[in-house]
Amino acid sequence: MQVQDTPEEWRVVATATPFTGNKTSVRTDDVVMPDGSVHRRDFQVHPGSVAVVALDEQDRVLLIKQYRHPVRQKLWEIPAGLLDVPGENPLHAAQRELYEEAHVKAEDWRVLTDVYTTPGGCDEAVRIFLARDLSEAEGERFEVSEEEADMEHARVPLAELVRGVLAGELHNNCLVVGVLSLTAARSGDGLEALRPADAPWPARPFEA
């Protein structure tokens, strides 16, 4: 048996958008179930995101620490951000986020994994990249504001992050998935077997 997610779309007989925010919205669909009954499903509509596991030559991962109001915590995270433009190339978005949040550039990019963060209540899709061969970006630092103005930066050994994830000390979705995916890739076919940075992404199609 091949274990693989497959596309499928159940019939929607009514839809509404009761809330529209700055970046996301809430949609209500009346969905026909396999037995013919109709049930209402509310979910957040999200443009999609990218995240970057930036690994330096000392096997450290570049992290930021940022306040997240919904969970009332400052979380250690990897650089990440929204796909601001429909159809935007996710690699370009990831390169932008690495520059804006860490003032770093990378020469080697690969896809680590693609995930739906909370598919039971949100359609957010995230592509997590591995970035290597790091160096400081040219020019002035990006001017940050709001929560990002209070960000902390660190480079933490990969092994310490794995320990923190398994100990329940680190909770950010992209950090957890990225760190464990990197570790699994190394113990499997190796990093050179990862998908190229421009690999197709059916959840958020883009132009090269």
Side-chain angles (χ1 to χ4, degrees):
M1 181 182 69
Q2 185 178 16
V3 180
Q4 182 175 331
D5 297 336
T6 54
E8 184 164 322
E9 188 167 350
W10 292 0
R11 188 161 65 96
V12 175
V13 295
T15 188
T17 305
F19 171 79
T20 301
N22 186 33
K23 298 289 186 180
T24 65
S25 60
V26 173
R27 194 167 109 187
T28 297
D29 284 350
D30 291 341
V31 185
V32 180
M33 300 291 126
D35 65 358
S37 62
V38 177
H39 293 272
R40 182 157 292 175
R41 296 291 179 260
D42 302 316
F43 63 97
Q44 182 184 22
V45 178
H46 194 286
S49 307
V50 292
V52 185
V53 176
L55 187 70
D56 71 13
E57 67 283 353
Q58 298 179 47
D59 213 39
R60 300 176 303 177
V61 176
L62 192 157
L63 300 183
I64 60 175
K65 194 174 189 181
Q66 186 171 348
Y67 176 66
R68 293 302 189 183
H69 187 71
V71 296
R72 308 299 197 275
Q73 291 189 34
K74 289 188 76 173
L75 302 180
W76 283 109
E77 306 179 351
I78 56 177
L82 298 176
L83 292 169
D84 293 328
V85 180
E88 180 178 18
N89 187 310
L91 174 60
H92 298 165
Q95 291 169 331
R96 179 186 69 237
E97 294 300 330
L98 186 60
Y99 161 71
E100 291 182 357
E101 295 191 346
H103 199 66
V104 166
K105 65 179 181 179
E107 298 302 322
D108 186 279
W109 290 82
R110 296 173 189 273
V111 175
L112 260 180
T113 191
D114 301 322
V115 295
Y116 293 115
T117 54
T118 49
C122 179
D123 70 352
E124 180 183 15
V126 181
R127 169 156 282 188
I128 303 177
F129 290 91
L130 172 65
R132 294 180 293 172
D133 193 4
L134 309 181
S135 61
E136 186 172 356
E138 295 91 358
E140 296 183 0
R141 286 185 173 272
F142 182 78
E143 186 175 347
V144 295
S145 61
E146 301 173 9
E147 288 92 343
E148 293 183 350
D150 190 48
M151 284 194 310
E152 302 173 44
H153 295 80
R155 296 195 182 202
V156 181
L158 177 62
E160 174 61 19
L161 294 179
V162 172
R163 186 207 63 77
V165 167
L166 298 180
E169 299 167 358
L170 300 168
H171 306 92
N172 175 263
N173 181 289
C174 291
L175 183 151
V176 171
V177 173
V179 162
L180 297 185
S181 294
L182 174 55
T183 303
R186 279 183 162 176
S187 64
D189 295 333
L191 301 186
E192 303 310 313
L194 290 170
R195 287 173 291 161
D198 60 353
W201 189 17
R204 293 293 185 274
F206 62 92
E207 295 183 4

